[in-house]
Amino acid sequence: MKLHEPSTIRDIKDRYDFRLSKSLGQNFITDRNVITRIVDGADISPEDLVIEIGPGIGVLTAAAAERAARVVAVEIDRKLIPILEETLIGYRNIRVINQDIMKTDINEIIEEERHAETFRGDVKIIGNLPYYITTPIIMGILEKGVKAESITIMMQKEVADRIKASPGGKVYGALSVAVQYYCTVEDIASVPRDVFIPQPKVDSAVLRLRLRQESPVELTDKAVFFSCIKHGFGQRRKTLHNSLTGVGGLSKEQVGRVLEEAGIDPGRRAETLDMEEFAAIANGVAACCGR
Ligand code: SAM
């Protein structure tokens, strides 16, 4: 069964009386090349465990199962479970979990699979993410310290642009600094909107995020670093002297001193700071508030 073909998707919809849910971000891939780009980009080896977010009818799941030792796919829509049982019937190395990925403990799945000795290699996360929760899914994985080697995911192009942005650009923001703190970011593919059923209103892009083994900057307190990013970009049109006032409970005068000691002009805005500069400010704030 060629799962990416529109005729297959139509046939499944008819036979199971399945309606694609807009609210669950169900836009299914219909292009074999895109599937290949994602699984190639994920660099899956025969020893690896792949965790897929949102398998849909199983196009990526099947392609990943051809290359990996094991695939665990987490799908929220229970109506897709009997469909996946049919479409993935020939594969013995796939486990489907009917669950919300936001409520799923991915490290627990990894531990279970390791305990059952289903894989010996790395853990790679893949997915064509539902647009409505792309950012919470990515940040959830990163903040919870999921023990994966990489995350290769398709998302709305605008979100990919924000994730990979550099200082100075219009789309550079808290998401760019946060993701780049945890990962290196690589472009894998640009994907036009017309390769999905139904067609979304926006184009997509595939990124590979490789989790860093070590922090790219030295921090005395990670929470203060993220708080500085939040404050700075929370009021991105304000100067740092104003937007950072209140961070760590600091007064405007104290923020001025922190910026001066970090060698950063208080008239600059958050969107001009690179990660090293955010780290210098955060370490100054942490020292000033006794952390
Ligand atoms: N992987 C399939 C493909 O590429 O054709 C489907 C991708 S579709 C963009 C997103 C999938 O994620 C849908 O199957 C949807 O039901 C599922 N999904 C949406 N929200 C989810 C959540 N919170 N947890 C797990 N799966 C979710």
Side-chain angles (χ1 to χ4, degrees):
M1 198 188 309
K2 290 190 172 147
L3 294 177
H4 64 280
E5 286 191 351
S7 57
T8 308
I9 299 173
R10 275 196 298 273
D11 170 59
I12 286 174
K13 278 176 63 198
D14 290 347
R15 283 192 294 114
Y16 284 86
D17 193 21
F18 175 73
R19 279 181 209 140
L20 287 154
S21 160
K22 204 172 170 183
S23 64
L24 288 178
Q26 290 176 344
N27 301 97
F28 294 166
I29 305 174
T30 63
D31 185 330
R32 183 72 231 168
N33 289 329
V34 174
I35 296 160
T36 307
R37 295 288 287 278
I38 297 174
V39 288
D40 279 353
D43 196 19
I44 301 165
S45 92
E47 312 254 278
D48 289 343
L49 166 66
V50 170
I51 300 199
E52 187 193 1
I53 302 166
I57 63 165
V59 266
L60 271 173
T61 330
E66 302 279 351
R67 302 186 183 201
R70 178 81 161 162
V71 179
V72 176
V74 180
E75 172 58 58
I76 196 172
D77 189 347
R78 77 183 154 74
K79 292 195 220 82
L80 283 167
I81 305 305
I83 297 175
L84 286 163
E85 276 163 16
E86 178 192 322
T87 59
L88 302 175
I89 196 161
Y91 297 90
R92 303 177 67 85
N93 59 342
I94 298 177
R95 170 181 164 202
V96 176
I97 302 177
N98 181 204
Q99 210 163 282
D100 179 350
I101 193 69
M102 298 303 292
K103 295 182 186 150
T104 301
D105 184 341
I106 299 179
N107 276 337
E108 195 177 293
I109 295 176
I110 297 169
E111 277 320 304
E112 284 165 6
E113 294 295 330
R114 206 181 289 286
H115 189 70
E117 298 185 359
T118 60
F119 76 106
R120 281 184 299 168
D122 291 324
V123 178
K124 304 201 167 138
I125 298 177
I126 65 167
N128 167 18
L129 296 188
Y131 291 155
Y132 77 108
I133 43 165
T134 298
T135 305
I137 290 176
I138 296 173
M139 288 315 299
I141 293 171
L142 300 180
E143 283 166 356
K144 283 179 200 145
V146 171
K147 296 186 187 79
E149 189 267 346
S150 60
I151 311 171
T152 305
I153 38 176
M154 179 139 65
M155 65 194 83
Q156 190 175 333
K157 182 181 174 299
E158 281 72 15
V159 178
D161 289 343
R162 281 167 52 210
I163 287 177
K164 64 189 187 190
S166 310
K170 258 212 310 232
V171 293
Y172 179 68
L175 184 65
S176 329
V177 188
V179 175
Q180 292 172 31
Y181 170 77
Y182 288 108
C183 312
T184 58
V185 180
E186 292 159 76
D187 256 321
I188 300 294
S190 295
V191 182
R193 64 194 75 182
D194 62 8
V195 302
F196 299 93
I197 283 185
Q199 188 172 311
K201 290 197 176 74
V202 291
D203 293 324
S204 292
V206 181
L207 294 182
R208 172 160 64 165
L209 313 176
R210 298 179 79 160
L211 281 94
R212 296 183 191 272
Q213 299 302 311
E214 282 174 23
S215 167
V217 283
E218 266 184 45
L219 297 175
T220 43
D221 191 317
K222 195 168 118 185
V224 172
F225 173 70
F226 279 99
S227 185
C228 289
I229 293 166
K230 198 171 156 205
H231 269 77
F233 287 110
Q235 298 167 301
R236 59 187 294 144
R237 298 314 307 152
K238 287 193 177 174
T239 65
L240 289 170
H241 202 177
N242 287 320
S243 63
L244 292 179
T245 293
V247 71
L250 264 54
S251 67
K252 190 164 183 178
E253 199 189 349
Q254 287 173 309
V255 168
R257 271 205 301 277
V258 166
L259 291 170
E260 193 185 333
E261 277 163 26
I264 292 167
D265 178 348
R268 283 173 63 185
R269 296 189 169 86
E271 67 209 42
T272 70
L273 296 180
D274 63 21
M275 200 176 319
E276 296 276 348
E277 291 173 313
F278 269 116
I281 295 172
N283 290 342
V285 170
C288 198
C289 61
R291 295 229 201 176

